Amino acid sequence: MAPFSGDETAPFFGFLGAAAALVFSCMGAAYGTAKSGVGVASMGVMRPELVMKSIVPVVMAGVLGIYGLIIAVIISTGINPKAKSYYLFDGYAHLSSGLACGLAGLSAGMAIGIVGDAGVRANAQQPKLFVGMILILIFAEALALYGLIVVSILSYLNKYFEASIIILNAQSPLNNISLQSINSRAIADLLSTIAISSTK
Amino acid sequence: MSSSAIIAAHSSSWAAALVRISPYTFSAIGIAVSIGVSVLGAAWGIYITGSSLIGAAIKAPRITSKNLISVIFCEAVAIYGVIVAIILQTKLESVPKASIYEPESLRAGYAIFASGLIVGFANLVCGLCVGIIGSSCALSDAQNSSLFVKILVIEIFGSALGLFGVIVGIIMSAQATWPSKF
């Protein structure tokens, strides 16, 4: 077996990150759609004219699936070791991004489902509650957006990491050690010093 | 060579374990999960919908033929799993024994594995979601026939989740390029 640098298995974590992003977001979207859909169907028996207005929680849950789809496609097209070196750092960053987006979407979907179910049933009996239901649904949707914020911060850190590789190579020309075999922990220390020095 | 030995001591223990597993293991598990778990989701959805449909049709037999569409939506989820499993199977290539553990073939194995996971579990939750909504659709249609089309709109939102899984699975399977055998 050829000697390996550990970065060969980085795509495993990267692809798993994309999988986590999509699967958990779809779980949240499915829960939100199903739970609020049952509420809409039950409510619609008595008040059929309110059904189209009550589809709002279903649409908001569907949006969570789209968040997961976008992040999963971005992650999986970003794993291309032939075009750009893919270190263990990148793999772990992608895994963390995917888990952040996916699990945030799962929790947001559960919140949207339960609130939507209760909201549409209550809206059928008291029409003034529609605005209140929408407000609570927006707060629940914001939870998924928090996950997207963390994803964008993680991808920003990735740029710091690439810059630190270039700086490290420029400082000490490494003739016999290839870029791929640089210790990831040394890079993490370097980028933390770069991050601290850049905030000064 | 010595630099690689030093690096091998520092690299992650996950990597040390993963690099010894054949990429064909991961590919095979991915293909199996993509079809098996999709069919599980479809079956789960069909029995949730079907049992409610039959029960509701006791007093309202007119709903049976219209509400079979919910069962068909669940079945489509299984078809997605079959399609992606066949696509992933065509991505499998045999490489010479010396290059099985090359980085490129390892990556191809991981890509097929993750693609199968994505499609399988996305279809699982999609089938469940469509099944639950389909059962509510049948029950509300039995009481008020104007509700059928409106609840069907919710079911279409639910079935889009399986399509998301198929889209990402196929995009990711394009990354499954094996090293060329010369």
Side-chain angles (χ1 to χ4, degrees), chain B residues 118 134 157:
Chain B
I118 286 176
F157 273 103

Side-chain angles (χ1 to χ4, degrees), chain A residues 29-67:
Chain A
Y31 187 89
T33 304
K35 193 98 166 87
S36 40
V38 169
V40 169
S42 309
M43 174 279 286
V45 169
M46 285 290 123
R47 306 282 303 272
E49 68 275 9
L50 286 178
V51 168
M52 277 327 216
K53 231 169 73 148
S54 307
I55 289 191
V56 172
V58 171
V59 173
M60 297 184 81
V63 166
L64 300 175
I66 295 190
Y67 291 164

